[in-house]
Amino acid sequence: MVDRNTPAIPVIALTGHLGAGKTTLLNHVLRAPGARIGVIINDFGELNVDAGLVTGQVDEPVSIAGGCICHLPDEGGLDEALEKLADPKLALDAIIIEASGVAEPADVSRVIRFSGVERIRHGGVVDVIDAAEHFNTVDTAAAPPQRYGVASLVVVNKLDRIAEEARDETLRRIEARVRELNPHAHVVGAMAGRVDPRLLYDVSDGDAAGQLSFRELLLDGDAHHEHTHADSVTVVGDGAVDPGPLIDLLEQPPRGVYRIKGTVAVGKRRYLVNVVGTSVHVVTAPPGSGPSHLVAIGTDLDTADVRARLEVALRPAPEKVAAAGMRRLQRLRQYSI
């Protein structure tokens, strides 16, 4: 029987129209030193993920036959691959599914949410857009495409193919279209898929000496190019908190925050919390999970505002106040996916 208190592995759907740059982005985020990432490839034709990156992290990519994730047979397919990668012996930080260019993000998200595999949680939908060709190939109708509605993170890629003076306007135009269907999506611009891996999963701080690892020296020779960097704010708490302000934070993160993670004490219990976009995941924390703390990760953060919100959420509360709010937290936990 699976221990429900074991931290679940985030499963991230990486979607995007054909040629948008999904594999390029995937190869980039796999370069994070120390990360252990499981990769599931579901596409027609050749596997273009850098085998050296994946082999160095886990073992080898798990290939799903069939071309489109939403057409996988019930017997096996994605669940079988997820079951393999969710093995605690692998100690993965995240699992990334690179979906077919013809797959609809909503279908990919639905398959993950209703997977029968234990030890996993929905880690968000990353939709990659080709800034140069998007309005000629994907967003061509009066109404915005439905794929905008499910994305938690939209990466407007290939901005280097747009004249420099037109990049900001292109990004604003795409973001405005996304917002018509999805006011909560986090939208970032990128070149060659270079987004900060911290937007997708937890990244180690590298070796203690602060030197470049062999992986970085070998594979990151293009590190001088522009990257989309993420900001983070960490606040450490002391004592049990009032679930009310905590839940308010989890359900309505500060502007620019895409992920929130941490450990909190409520009453006599401790919980692990994870937020990705609008998805909230709460489980009982295992023993030895460390002091109460919250980390907010995103882009263009107002760090003072974010820090203030985290401090309010972690403010110690009398035990009676904490106990009174437990019912609301239990409901949130019950519906966590």
Side-chain angles (χ1 to χ4, degrees), residues 4-5 242-244 246-247 250-251 264-273 280-285 322-337:
R4 289 184 60 84
N5 294 336
D242 180 353
L246 172 65
I247 296 171
L250 301 182
E251 293 185 334
V264 292
V266 179
K268 296 181 180 180
R269 296 187 180 183
R270 298 174 64 78
Y271 296 91
L272 293 179
V273 300
V280 181
H281 188 267
V282 181
V283 295
T284 303
M326 281 294 292
R327 187 173 300 174
R328 186 179 175 197
L329 181 65
Q330 292 294 346
R331 283 200 303 269
L332 181 64
R333 184 186 178 203
Q334 178 181 358
Y335 293 107
S336 294
I337 296 179

Side-chain angles (χ1 to χ4, degrees), residues 140-155:
T140 58
Q146 290 299 311
R147 66 183 307 115
Y148 291 162
V150 73
S152 54
L153 176 64
V154 175
V155 178

